[in-house]
Amino acid sequence: MTHRFARIRRFRFNLPQRIAAGLLAVFLVQGLWLTGHQTLTDRDYQYARCGREMWERPSQLAGYFTSCGNIHDGILAYRLAGLPLTLNLLAERGLDRFRKPEDKVVQTDCEVSAWELRHQLRYTLLLLRLPFLVAGCMLGAGLWWVTRRLYGNLGGYTALGLYCFSPAVLRACVTPNAEVLAALGVYGGVYTCIGVAHAMQGPRRKGRPRIVLLMAAFGLAAASHIAALSLVALLGLAAM
């Protein structure tokens, strides 16, 4: 038990970690600012409609054939975009029980689309984009972690700075899409493949957690985009 706590205490939030956290905070602020200056688009409503349908009206017979078509590439982006809206709608319906009839947010018990609730539900744009912003922050943190180990503090700051101020990365993180999730899955798969290869040379107890992480990374890549699974498998095999 003492050995485990000693391993946990290895992580220190010193100056390098603080600078990296500051850069990621700037990245998050940029994403929130861009989100606040956007308007809901047809693509947003498509992701909201399909994502909510997967959570609220799942069909075992239809599979992933939703009202916006059969989803072939990946379902994770739709589910992540629809989950905050579904949870927010459930919360508002619960709070409506304690509100006056004229103050209710949802005036009917029937199905209501995101378009019809665009004025009632607050922070719809933020709820749609928040999962992708979080994924972008996780990807940036992973990039800093690897580049710092390879090239030192200066290399890590340089890579993370280029990442945080990249217009293409910011655009991908403030739009519902599968690309940033697939990138996170590919990165995690390749990194954990290297970790598993290293663990094979040591005790088995060190390899088991890394194998679990590897399977989770493969699942993330496959759920994000079907093409990402074959890519991460090939790159991971080459890395191993």
Side-chain angles (χ1 to χ4, degrees), residues 146-217:
V146 173
T147 51
R148 179 174 180 258
R149 294 186 65 179
L150 293 175
Y151 305 109
N153 288 329
L154 183 59
Y157 300 149
T158 303
L160 184 57
L162 292 173
Y163 175 88
C164 291
F165 295 99
S166 170
V169 174
L170 286 167
R171 188 184 310 113
C173 293
V174 295
T175 305
N177 64 86
E179 283 75 13
V180 63
L181 302 175
L184 183 59
V186 171
Y187 164 81
V190 174
Y191 184 76
T192 49
C193 277
I194 299 174
V196 169
H198 288 168
M200 287 179 179
Q201 304 174 8
R204 289 186 177 181
R205 59 180 177 80
K206 291 186 177 181
R208 292 170 184 171
R210 298 182 184 185
I211 292 175
V212 173
L213 289 176
L214 178 61
M215 294 300 101

Coordinates of all heavy atoms in Angstrom, one line a residue, residues 146-217:
V146 N 4.4 13.7 -24.0 CA 5.3 13.0 -24.8 C 6.5 13.8 -25.3 O 7.6 13.4 -25.2 CB 4.6 12.3 -26.0 CG1 5.6 11.7 -27.0 CG2 3.6 11.3 -25.5
T147 N 6.2 15.0 -25.8 CA 7.2 15.9 -26.3 C 8.2 16.3 -25.2 O 9.4 16.5 -25.4 CB 6.6 17.1 -27.1 OG1 5.7 17.7 -26.2 CG2 6.0 16.7 -28.4
R148 N 7.6 16.5 -24.0 CA 8.5 16.9 -22.9 C 9.5 15.8 -22.5 O 10.6 16.0 -22.2 CB 7.6 17.3 -21.7 CG 8.5 17.7 -20.5 CD 7.6 18.2 -19.4 NE 8.3 18.6 -18.2 CZ 8.5 17.8 -17.1 NH1 7.8 16.7 -17.0 NH2 9.2 18.2 -16.1
R149 N 9.0 14.6 -22.6 CA 9.9 13.4 -22.3 C 10.9 13.2 -23.3 O 12.0 12.8 -23.0 CB 9.0 12.2 -22.1 CG 8.1 12.2 -20.9 CD 7.4 10.9 -20.7 NE 8.4 9.8 -20.4 CZ 8.0 8.5 -20.1 NH1 6.7 8.2 -20.2 NH2 8.9 7.6 -19.8
L150 N 10.6 13.6 -24.6 CA 11.5 13.4 -25.7 C 12.5 14.5 -25.8 O 13.7 14.3 -26.1 CB 10.8 13.1 -27.0 CG 10.0 11.8 -27.1 CD1 9.2 11.8 -28.4 CD2 10.9 10.6 -27.0
Y151 N 12.0 15.7 -25.7 CA 12.8 16.9 -26.0 C 13.0 17.9 -24.9 O 13.4 19.0 -25.1 CB 12.2 17.6 -27.2 CG 12.0 16.7 -28.4 CD1 10.7 16.3 -28.8 CD2 13.0 16.3 -29.2 CE1 10.5 15.5 -29.9 CE2 12.9 15.4 -30.3 CZ 11.6 15.0 -30.6 OH 11.4 14.2 -31.7
G152 N 12.5 17.6 -23.7 CA 12.7 18.4 -22.6 C 11.6 19.5 -22.5 O 10.6 19.5 -23.2
N153 N 11.7 20.4 -21.5 CA 10.7 21.3 -21.2 C 10.5 22.3 -22.4 O 9.3 22.6 -22.8 CB 11.1 22.2 -20.0 CG 10.9 21.4 -18.7 OD1 10.1 20.5 -18.6 ND2 11.7 21.7 -17.7
L154 N 11.5 22.7 -23.0 CA 11.4 23.7 -24.1 C 10.6 23.0 -25.3 O 9.8 23.6 -25.9 CB 12.8 24.2 -24.6 CG 12.8 25.2 -25.7 CD1 12.0 26.5 -25.3 CD2 14.2 25.6 -26.1
G155 N 11.0 21.8 -25.6 CA 10.3 21.1 -26.7 C 8.8 20.9 -26.4 O 7.9 21.0 -27.2
G156 N 8.5 20.6 -25.1 CA 7.1 20.4 -24.7 C 6.3 21.7 -24.8 O 5.2 21.7 -25.3
Y157 N 6.9 22.8 -24.4 CA 6.2 24.1 -24.5 C 6.0 24.5 -25.9 O 4.9 25.0 -26.3 CB 7.0 25.2 -23.8 CG 7.3 24.9 -22.3 CD1 8.4 25.4 -21.7 CD2 6.4 24.2 -21.5 CE1 8.7 25.1 -20.3 CE2 6.6 24.0 -20.2 CZ 7.8 24.4 -19.6 OH 8.0 24.2 -18.3
T158 N 7.0 24.2 -26.7 CA 6.9 24.6 -28.2 C 5.8 23.8 -28.8 O 4.9 24.4 -29.5 CB 8.2 24.4 -28.9 OG1 9.3 25.1 -28.2 CG2 8.1 24.8 -30.3
A159 N 5.8 22.5 -28.6 CA 4.7 21.7 -29.3 C 3.3 22.1 -28.7 O 2.4 22.2 -29.5 CB 5.0 20.2 -29.0
L160 N 3.2 22.3 -27.4 CA 1.9 22.6 -26.9 C 1.5 24.0 -27.3 O 0.3 24.3 -27.6 CB 1.9 22.5 -25.4 CG 0.6 22.8 -24.6 CD1 -0.4 21.8 -25.1 CD2 0.8 22.6 -23.1
G161 N 2.4 25.0 -27.4 CA 2.1 26.3 -27.9 C 1.6 26.3 -29.3 O 0.6 27.0 -29.6
L162 N 2.2 25.5 -30.2 CA 1.8 25.4 -31.6 C 0.4 24.8 -31.6 O -0.4 25.2 -32.5 CB 2.8 24.6 -32.4 CG 4.2 25.3 -32.6 CD1 5.1 24.4 -33.3 CD2 4.0 26.6 -33.4
Y163 N 0.2 23.8 -30.8 CA -1.1 23.1 -30.7 C -2.2 24.1 -30.3 O -3.3 24.1 -30.9 CB -1.0 21.9 -29.8 CG -2.3 21.2 -29.6 CD1 -2.7 20.2 -30.5 CD2 -3.1 21.5 -28.5 CE1 -3.9 19.5 -30.3 CE2 -4.3 20.8 -28.3 CZ -4.7 19.8 -29.2 OH -5.9 19.1 -29.0
C164 N -2.0 24.8 -29.2 CA -3.0 25.6 -28.6 C -3.4 26.8 -29.4 O -4.6 27.3 -29.3 CB -2.6 26.1 -27.2 SG -2.4 24.8 -25.9
F165 N -2.5 27.3 -30.3 CA -2.8 28.4 -31.1 C -3.0 28.1 -32.6 O -2.9 29.0 -33.4 CB -1.7 29.5 -30.9 CG -1.7 30.0 -29.5 CD1 -0.7 29.6 -28.6 CD2 -2.6 31.0 -29.1 CE1 -0.7 30.1 -27.3 CE2 -2.5 31.5 -27.8 CZ -1.6 31.0 -26.9
S166 N -3.2 26.8 -32.8 CA -3.4 26.4 -34.2 C -4.9 26.6 -34.6 O -5.8 26.1 -33.9 CB -3.1 24.9 -34.4 OG -3.5 24.4 -35.6
P167 N -5.2 27.4 -35.7 CA -6.6 27.6 -36.1 C -7.3 26.3 -36.4 O -8.5 26.2 -36.2 CB -6.4 28.6 -37.3 CG -5.1 29.2 -37.1 CD -4.2 28.2 -36.5
A168 N -6.5 25.4 -37.1 CA -7.2 24.1 -37.5 C -7.6 23.3 -36.3 O -8.7 22.7 -36.2 CB -6.2 23.3 -38.3
V169 N -6.8 23.3 -35.2 CA -7.2 22.5 -34.0 C -8.3 23.2 -33.3 O -9.3 22.5 -32.9 CB -5.9 22.4 -33.1 CG1 -6.3 21.8 -31.8 CG2 -4.8 21.6 -33.7
L170 N -8.3 24.5 -33.2 CA -9.4 25.2 -32.6 C -10.7 25.0 -33.3 O -11.8 24.8 -32.7 CB -9.1 26.7 -32.5 CG -8.1 27.1 -31.4 CD1 -7.6 28.5 -31.6 CD2 -8.7 26.9 -30.0
R171 N -10.6 25.0 -34.7 CA -11.8 24.8 -35.5 C -12.4 23.4 -35.3 O -13.6 23.3 -35.2 CB -11.5 25.0 -36.9 CG -12.7 25.0 -37.9 CD -12.3 25.1 -39.3 NE -11.4 26.2 -39.6 CZ -10.1 26.1 -40.0 NH1 -9.6 24.8 -40.1 NH2 -9.4 27.1 -40.2
A172 N -11.5 22.5 -35.1 CA -12.0 21.1 -34.9 C -12.6 20.9 -33.5 O -13.5 20.1 -33.4 CB -10.8 20.1 -35.1
C173 N -12.2 21.7 -32.6 CA -12.7 21.5 -31.2 C -13.9 22.3 -30.9 O -14.5 22.2 -29.8 CB -11.6 21.9 -30.2 SG -10.2 20.7 -30.2
V174 N -14.3 23.2 -31.8 CA -15.5 24.0 -31.6 C -16.6 23.7 -32.6 O -17.5 24.5 -32.9 CB -15.2 25.6 -31.6 CG1 -14.3 25.9 -30.4 CG2 -14.6 26.0 -32.9
T175 N -16.5 22.5 -33.2 CA -17.4 22.0 -34.1 C -17.7 20.5 -33.8 O -16.7 19.8 -33.7 CB -17.0 22.2 -35.6 OG1 -16.6 23.5 -35.8 CG2 -18.0 21.7 -36.6
P176 N -18.9 20.1 -33.7 CA -19.2 18.6 -33.5 C -18.6 17.8 -34.7 O -19.0 18.0 -35.8 CB -20.7 18.6 -33.4 CG -21.1 19.9 -33.0 CD -20.2 20.9 -33.6
N177 N -17.7 17.0 -34.4 CA -17.1 16.2 -35.5 C -16.4 15.0 -34.9 O -16.2 14.9 -33.6 CB -16.1 17.0 -36.3 CG -14.9 17.5 -35.5 OD1 -13.9 16.8 -35.3 ND2 -15.0 18.7 -34.9
A178 N -16.0 14.0 -35.7 CA -15.3 12.8 -35.2 C -13.8 12.9 -35.3 O -13.1 12.0 -34.8 CB -15.8 11.6 -36.1
E179 N -13.3 14.0 -35.9 CA -11.8 14.0 -36.2 C -11.0 14.1 -34.9 O -10.0 13.4 -34.7 CB -11.5 15.2 -37.1 CG -11.8 14.9 -38.6 CD -13.3 15.0 -38.9 OE1 -14.0 15.5 -38.0 OE2 -13.7 14.6 -40.0
V180 N -11.4 15.0 -34.0 CA -10.6 15.2 -32.8 C -10.7 14.0 -31.9 O -9.7 13.6 -31.2 CB -11.1 16.5 -32.0 CG1 -12.6 16.4 -31.6 CG2 -10.2 16.8 -30.9
L181 N -11.9 13.3 -31.9 CA -12.0 12.1 -31.1 C -11.2 11.0 -31.7 O -10.5 10.2 -31.0 CB -13.5 11.7 -31.0 CG -14.4 12.7 -30.4 CD1 -15.8 12.2 -30.5 CD2 -14.1 13.0 -29.0
A182 N -11.2 10.9 -33.0 CA -10.3 9.9 -33.7 C -8.8 10.1 -33.4 O -8.1 9.2 -33.2 CB -10.6 9.8 -35.2
A183 N -8.4 11.4 -33.5 CA -7.1 11.7 -33.2 C -6.7 11.3 -31.8 O -5.5 10.8 -31.5 CB -6.8 13.2 -33.4
L184 N -7.6 11.6 -30.8 CA -7.3 11.2 -29.4 C -7.2 9.7 -29.3 O -6.3 9.1 -28.6 CB -8.4 11.7 -28.5 CG -8.2 11.4 -27.0 CD1 -6.9 12.1 -26.5 CD2 -9.4 12.0 -26.3
G185 N -8.0 8.9 -30.0 CA -7.9 7.5 -30.0 C -6.7 6.9 -30.6 O -6.0 6.0 -30.1
V186 N -6.3 7.5 -31.8 CA -5.0 7.1 -32.4 C -3.8 7.4 -31.6 O -2.9 6.6 -31.4 CB -4.9 7.8 -33.8 CG1 -3.6 7.5 -34.5 CG2 -6.0 7.2 -34.8
Y187 N -3.8 8.6 -31.0 CA -2.7 8.9 -30.2 C -2.6 8.0 -29.0 O -1.5 7.5 -28.6 CB -2.8 10.4 -29.7 CG -2.0 10.7 -28.5 CD1 -0.6 11.0 -28.7 CD2 -2.5 10.7 -27.2 CE1 0.2 11.3 -27.6 CE2 -1.7 10.9 -26.1 CZ -0.3 11.3 -26.3 OH 0.5 11.5 -25.2
G188 N -3.7 7.8 -28.3 CA -3.7 6.9 -27.1 C -3.4 5.5 -27.5 O -2.6 4.8 -26.7
G189 N -3.8 5.0 -28.6 CA -3.5 3.7 -29.1 C -2.0 3.5 -29.3 O -1.4 2.5 -28.9
V190 N -1.4 4.4 -30.0 CA 0.0 4.3 -30.3 C 0.9 4.4 -29.1 O 1.8 3.7 -28.8 CB 0.5 5.4 -31.4 CG1 2.0 5.4 -31.6 CG2 -0.3 5.1 -32.7
Y191 N 0.5 5.4 -28.2 CA 1.3 5.6 -27.0 C 1.2 4.3 -26.1 O 2.2 3.9 -25.5 CB 0.7 6.8 -26.3 CG 1.5 7.2 -25.0 CD1 2.8 7.8 -25.1 CD2 1.0 6.9 -23.8 CE1 3.5 8.1 -24.0 CE2 1.7 7.2 -22.6 CZ 2.9 7.8 -22.7 OH 3.7 8.1 -21.6
T192 N 0.0 3.8 -25.9 CA -0.1 2.6 -25.1 C 0.5 1.4 -25.7 O 0.9 0.5 -24.9 CB -1.6 2.4 -24.7 OG1 -2.4 2.4 -25.9 CG2 -2.2 3.4 -23.8
C193 N 0.5 1.3 -27.0 CA 1.2 0.2 -27.6 C 2.7 0.2 -27.3 O 3.3 -0.8 -27.0 CB 1.1 0.3 -29.2 SG -0.4 -0.4 -29.8
I194 N 3.3 1.4 -27.3 CA 4.7 1.5 -26.8 C 4.8 1.1 -25.4 O 5.8 0.4 -25.0 CB 5.2 2.9 -27.1 CG1 5.2 3.2 -28.6 CG2 6.6 3.1 -26.6 CD1 5.5 4.7 -28.9
G195 N 3.9 1.5 -24.5 CA 3.9 1.2 -23.1 C 3.8 -0.3 -22.9 O 4.5 -0.9 -22.0
V196 N 2.9 -1.0 -23.7 CA 2.8 -2.4 -23.5 C 4.1 -3.1 -24.0 O 4.5 -4.1 -23.4 CB 1.6 -2.9 -24.4 CG1 1.5 -4.4 -24.4 CG2 0.3 -2.4 -23.7
A197 N 4.7 -2.6 -25.0 CA 5.9 -3.2 -25.5 C 7.0 -3.1 -24.4 O 7.8 -4.1 -24.2 CB 6.4 -2.6 -26.8
H198 N 7.1 -2.0 -23.7 CA 8.0 -1.8 -22.7 C 7.7 -2.8 -21.5 O 8.6 -3.3 -20.9 CB 8.1 -0.4 -22.2 CG 8.7 0.5 -23.2 ND1 8.7 1.9 -23.1 CD2 9.5 0.3 -24.3 CE1 9.4 2.4 -24.1 NE2 9.8 1.5 -24.8
A199 N 6.4 -2.9 -21.2 CA 6.0 -3.7 -20.0 C 6.2 -5.2 -20.3 O 6.4 -6.0 -19.3 CB 4.5 -3.5 -19.7
M200 N 6.3 -5.6 -21.5 CA 6.6 -7.0 -21.8 C 7.9 -7.5 -21.3 O 8.2 -8.7 -21.1 CB 6.5 -7.3 -23.3 CG 5.1 -7.3 -23.9 SD 5.0 -7.6 -25.6 CE 3.2 -7.5 -25.9
Q201 N 8.8 -6.5 -21.2 CA 10.2 -6.9 -20.7 C 10.3 -6.9 -19.2 O 11.4 -7.2 -18.6 CB 11.2 -5.9 -21.3 CG 11.1 -5.8 -22.8 CD 12.0 -4.7 -23.3 OE1 12.8 -4.1 -22.6 NE2 12.0 -4.4 -24.6
G202 N 9.2 -6.5 -18.5 CA 9.2 -6.5 -17.0 C 8.2 -7.4 -16.4 O 7.7 -8.4 -17.1
P203 N 7.9 -7.2 -15.2 CA 6.9 -8.1 -14.5 C 5.5 -8.0 -15.2 O 5.1 -6.9 -15.7 CB 6.8 -7.6 -13.1 CG 8.1 -6.8 -12.9 CD 8.4 -6.2 -14.3
R204 N 4.7 -9.0 -15.0 CA 3.4 -9.0 -15.6 C 2.4 -8.0 -15.0 O 1.5 -7.5 -15.7 CB 2.7 -10.4 -15.5 CG 3.4 -11.5 -16.4 CD 2.6 -12.8 -16.3 NE 3.2 -13.8 -17.2 CZ 2.7 -15.0 -17.3 NH1 1.7 -15.4 -16.6 NH2 3.3 -15.9 -18.1
R205 N 2.6 -7.7 -13.7 CA 1.7 -6.8 -13.1 C 1.8 -5.4 -13.7 O 0.8 -4.6 -13.6 CB 2.0 -6.7 -11.6 CG 3.4 -6.3 -11.3 CD 3.7 -6.3 -9.8 NE 5.1 -5.9 -9.4 CZ 5.6 -4.7 -9.4 NH1 4.8 -3.7 -9.7 NH2 6.8 -4.5 -9.1
K206 N 2.9 -5.1 -14.3 CA 3.0 -3.8 -14.9 C 2.4 -3.7 -16.3 O 2.0 -2.7 -16.8 CB 4.5 -3.4 -15.1 CG 5.2 -3.1 -13.8 CD 6.6 -2.6 -14.1 CE 7.3 -2.2 -12.7 NZ 8.7 -1.7 -13.0
G207 N 2.2 -4.9 -16.9 CA 1.6 -4.9 -18.2 C 0.1 -4.9 -18.3 O -0.5 -4.4 -19.2
R208 N -0.5 -5.5 -17.2 CA -2.0 -5.6 -17.2 C -2.7 -4.2 -17.3 O -3.6 -4.1 -18.1 CB -2.4 -6.4 -16.0 CG -2.0 -7.8 -16.0 CD -2.2 -8.5 -14.7 NE -1.7 -9.9 -14.7 CZ -1.7 -10.7 -13.6 NH1 -2.0 -10.2 -12.5 NH2 -1.2 -11.9 -13.8
P209 N -2.4 -3.2 -16.5 CA -3.1 -2.0 -16.6 C -2.9 -1.3 -18.0 O -3.8 -0.7 -18.5 CB -2.5 -1.1 -15.5 CG -1.9 -2.1 -14.5 CD -1.4 -3.2 -15.3
R210 N -1.7 -1.5 -18.5 CA -1.4 -0.9 -19.8 C -2.2 -1.6 -21.0 O -2.6 -1.0 -21.9 CB 0.1 -0.9 -20.2 CG 0.9 -0.2 -19.1 CD 2.4 -0.2 -19.5 NE 3.2 0.5 -18.4 CZ 4.5 0.7 -18.5 NH1 5.1 0.3 -19.6 NH2 5.1 1.4 -17.6
I211 N -2.4 -2.9 -20.8 CA -3.2 -3.6 -21.8 C -4.7 -3.1 -21.7 O -5.4 -3.0 -22.7 CB -3.1 -5.1 -21.6 CG1 -1.7 -5.6 -21.9 CG2 -4.1 -5.9 -22.4 CD1 -1.4 -7.1 -21.6
V212 N -5.2 -2.9 -20.5 CA -6.5 -2.4 -20.3 C -6.7 -1.0 -21.0 O -7.6 -0.7 -21.7 CB -6.9 -2.3 -18.8 CG1 -8.2 -1.6 -18.6 CG2 -6.9 -3.7 -18.2
L213 N -5.7 -0.1 -20.8 CA -5.7 1.2 -21.4 C -5.6 1.0 -22.9 O -6.2 1.8 -23.7 CB -4.5 2.0 -20.9 CG -4.6 2.5 -19.5 CD1 -3.3 3.2 -19.1 CD2 -5.8 3.4 -19.3
L214 N -4.8 0.1 -23.4 CA -4.7 -0.2 -24.9 C -6.1 -0.5 -25.5 O -6.5 0.0 -26.5 CB -3.7 -1.2 -25.1 CG -3.5 -1.6 -26.6 CD1 -3.0 -0.4 -27.4 CD2 -2.5 -2.8 -26.7
M215 N -6.8 -1.4 -24.8 CA -8.1 -1.8 -25.3 C -9.1 -0.6 -25.3 O -9.9 -0.5 -26.2 CB -8.7 -3.0 -24.4 CG -7.9 -4.3 -24.6 SD -7.8 -4.9 -26.3 CE -6.2 -4.4 -26.8
A216 N -9.0 0.2 -24.2 CA -9.8 1.4 -24.1 C -9.5 2.4 -25.3 O -10.4 2.9 -25.9 CB -9.7 2.1 -22.8
A217 N -8.2 2.5 -25.6 CA -7.8 3.4 -26.7 C -8.3 2.9 -28.0 O -8.8 3.6 -28.9 CB -6.3 3.6 -26.7

